Amino acid sequence: MNSFKNTDKEYIANTYGRFDIEISHGKGSYVYDINGKEYIDLASGIAVNTFGMADNEWIEAVTNQLKKCQHTSNLYYSEPCATLAKMLCERTGAKKVFFGNSGAEANECAIKVARLWASENKGEEYYNIITLKNSFHGRTITTLAATGQDVFHKYFTPLTEGFLYAEANNLDSVEELLKQNKCSAIMAELVQGEGGVMALEPDFVKGVSELCEKYNVLFVVDEVQTGNGRTGALYAYQKYGITPDVITTAKGLGGGLPIGACLMFEKTKDTLKPSLHGSTFGGNPISCASAINILNRIDDSLLKEVNEKSDYIFDALNGADGIKSVSGLGLMIGIETVADVSIILQKCMENGILPIKAKNKLRLLPPLNIPMELLKKAVDIIKMVAKENK
Ligand SMILES: *Cc1c(COP(=O)(O)O)cnc(C)c1O
């Protein structure tokens, strides 16, 4: 097959460090490159392809909608976005949904909601939002400001004001910031994805939830990566047993099509009002039909499977030769190897599996329905590669 590598290098903005693999197509958990080499997909396009590549049922749901109506604008009512919003609310306890097209936009919405809510309930000066060090919340100027990592801030200052960074798993550090500043919200990923697949400690998350009550600030949970079944619950907050005031999600929600959502719970349900926010593509019928199909299939039996597969991976890799640690939740897993992660990743790809990286770790985000025998095969390859290169 023809290669478009040189065309890409010539014409695509040079922001991505691509691997030397040119993907042509896939089916389920298999992905193929232009030379016909077969890979087991362990990344799902960064937690996006929830049911793998070119899933038949999903194709049918999307093409049925495509034949009816591809876009309406938000000037009219239409069925798919209403149905999807209802499903999201019924399965989370949220009361209202705003649709955008990406994780960053979902977080932008949540940040606007937090500032609006504070203006109405506490005063405009309560605009500060506490996020965690090592977090990742997106690439817009404001979501970069929310991201608690200096490396992302360099060159782009001045960023949006009003973000403060606390230490993860350190309640005192959160409370200190709450005491000393006028705050509207605490915003956090429950499993820090880009930060190295670090699940927050349950006691810390419960403690943050209590601090939010005590100081009358919102708890905003960024479920862009952890959401939509990825951690073995529909949304990760459900595993932690807390009730957030806002959650944001994107990545896996559309199963491969762009969609982001900001879900507002009881305290924040009436915060957004006419003309205060909007999006041309938000709630697009194709993306919503796609997400309806995905959500319908993330049921108890699938979540049980996700948890079983997760247990299998942890059991197989914990303490294995050449592996230092395994972290994460559900099918969002970080693996610290004795050998440098770049070497491990290269060897994995040579051996026909496609994990990715998060900081110094190998990161696994396989399709949620990856067949057990494929997962076993992939885990065996990781074990072999970790051992041979230690
Ligand atoms: C990927 C990610 C984002 C940004 O999502 P985009 O769709 O790339 O804008 C935000 N937050 C978290 C936790 C993410 O993993």
Side-chain angles (χ1 to χ4, degrees), residues 46 101-105 107 136-139 189 191 193-194 222-226 250-251 363:
I46 322 188
N101 314 287
S102 67
E105 281 174 272
N107 286 338
F136 182 81
H137 297 294
R139 299 280 191 168
E189 305 153 88
V191 183
E194 305 306 309
D222 179 345
E223 298 250 20
V224 171
Q225 192 163 156
T226 53
K251 290 194 168 88
R363 176 167 37 155

